[in-house]
Amino acid sequence: MRMEEIKEIANAVLYEGYLLYPYRRSAIKNRQRWTIGIVYPREYSVENGSIEPWTMQTECLVAGSADTSIDIHMRFLHLLLHRTVHSVTASVPTETELEAMNANEWSLASRLASEPWEEGTEREVSVLNLALSSLLNQPQLVVIEFSGERMSEESTDSSGAKLIRELQPLAGAVIIDAESVGTDLYKISVHIENRTPGTGALTSNAVMPHSFVSTHTILQVHNGTFISLMDPPEVLKTSAQECHNLHTWPVLVGNEGEYDTMLSSPIILYDYPQIAPESPGSLFDGTEIDEILTLRILTLTDEEKEEMRQGDERAREILERTEALSPEQFMKLHGVIRSLRPVDEGGEHEKRE
C-alpha cells in the first residue's frame, strides 16, 4: 500500500474526536475535545505527580538481516489558539448598521470570538532509511523542535477587533533503538518525549498548546517484515508479549497479508484497519455511521449551519461536502454486504456494515 493511502488511515487516528456532531463551537461536547494520544510536557507531568504521560513508547518485532532498514514517521497535532482582542472604543452596531452588514456578520462573529478556540496544525517528524545494523550499535536521537508564532489580523467589520492566532513553541525528542532478540529477529523501539520547558505551573487547559496531541507513529521496513503483535506465530508469542508499549498499540497496516508497515496508534485497533470505500470523507468519529451523521447535518438549522461555516475550517469542509452529496453517493451510505455465509456457519446469513 502506498504511503498516501496509509496516511489516510492514520489521519482517521489523528483527527479522532477533533470535532463531534453538531460540529459547532458552541456545543458543550466540543469545548473539551483533545482526549487521545496526548504527550504532555515533562515539567508539567512531574509537577502534577506524573499522572499525565510525558512519554509514548512503541516496541515491535522485525524479522530482518544486515540489509534491513526502517522509516519512522512520528505525527501529532500542534494546537493553534485563536482569540479576539476588542478595541476599547468599539461599540455595538446599531440596528441600522446591522441591517447593512452581511447576514449575522457581527452577532455570530462576536459570539464565536467570545472565547479562545483551538485548532489543530499537523506536525510530522520523519527519519528515513535507518539501517538496522547501525541502530544495534547506537540509538538514534531525533530532535523535535517547532518554533512559536503569533499572527494578528484586523477584523473586517466595525468592531475594531483583532484576531490573534498563536502557536506555542514545542520541544522534544524521538529515540529510536533496536536489539537482537533471536536469530534474524529484532525488537524496534521508538520512544517519544515532550521536553517543552516552562510548563510546570500551567493548568490542564493551558498546557494543551504545549502538548503533542493525537500522537502516533508509522513504521515501514525495507528488506524485512514486521511480526503481528496481535496474532504472532506460536514460536514468537513470548517475544511479542515482551514488547513494552506505553499509551500506544502497534498493528499491521496496509493490504491484508502485507507485513512491511505498522501503525502505532493511541486507539486500540485490529491488524489491517481500513476506511470504508463508501465513506465520502471523515466525520472525526472512527465508529461513525456516516448515513446517520449525514442526515443529522442536513437537518441543522440555517443558523447552526452558519456557525459551522464561520467556525473551524474542517467543520466547514464537512458541511460543504455533505450538502454537495449526489443521490447516488448518499445511497452508498445506506449499507453494504461485505460477505455471505451459509446458514450452518454460526447461523448468520450475512455480514453487514
Side-chain angles (χ1 to χ4, degrees), residues 175-323:
I175 303 159
I176 308 165
D177 198 4
E179 64 173 302
S180 176
V181 293
T183 304
D184 297 328
L185 183 68
Y186 305 89
K187 181 188 293 184
I188 307 298
S189 173
V190 181
H191 188 81
I192 299 167
E193 298 181 355
N194 187 337
R195 302 177 179 179
T196 305
T199 59
L202 296 178
T203 64
S204 58
N205 287 334
V207 79
M208 294 308 299
H210 305 268
S211 303
F212 309 157
V213 176
S214 296
T215 312
H216 60 280
T217 307
I218 301 172
L219 305 90
Q220 279 196 311
V221 63
H222 307 284
N223 298 316
T225 58
F226 284 112
I227 306 300
S228 169
L229 298 186
M230 295 195 69
D231 187 23
E234 189 66 33
V235 296
L236 297 179
K237 279 190 175 181
T238 300
S239 297
Q241 291 169 356
E242 290 174 349
C243 288
H244 187 44
N245 289 284
L246 293 173
H247 316 296
T248 188
W249 291 266
V251 296
L252 292 166
V253 66
N255 297 315
E256 191 157 354
E258 296 178 343
Y259 297 92
D260 61 349
T261 307
M262 272 203 162
L263 171 62
S264 187
S265 161
I267 304 170
I268 299 176
L269 302 170
Y270 290 102
D271 283 336
Y272 305 113
Q274 299 289 330
I275 296 174
E278 296 79 17
S279 178
S282 176
L283 294 168
F284 305 140
D285 183 354
T287 60
E288 64 202 21
I289 301 176
D290 288 32
E291 183 184 27
I292 293 176
L293 288 177
T294 299
L295 285 169
R296 287 184 172 180
I297 291 168
L298 291 174
T299 60
L300 292 173
T301 66
D302 290 342
E303 183 179 0
E304 289 170 332
K305 289 180 179 179
E306 186 62 23
E307 185 176 344
M308 283 184 70
R309 291 190 181 93
Q310 296 291 336
D312 191 289
E313 178 182 348
R314 295 177 181 90
R316 183 166 62 252
E317 290 174 356
I318 287 176
L319 179 61
E320 292 174 351
R321 183 180 70 232
T322 299
E323 293 184 324

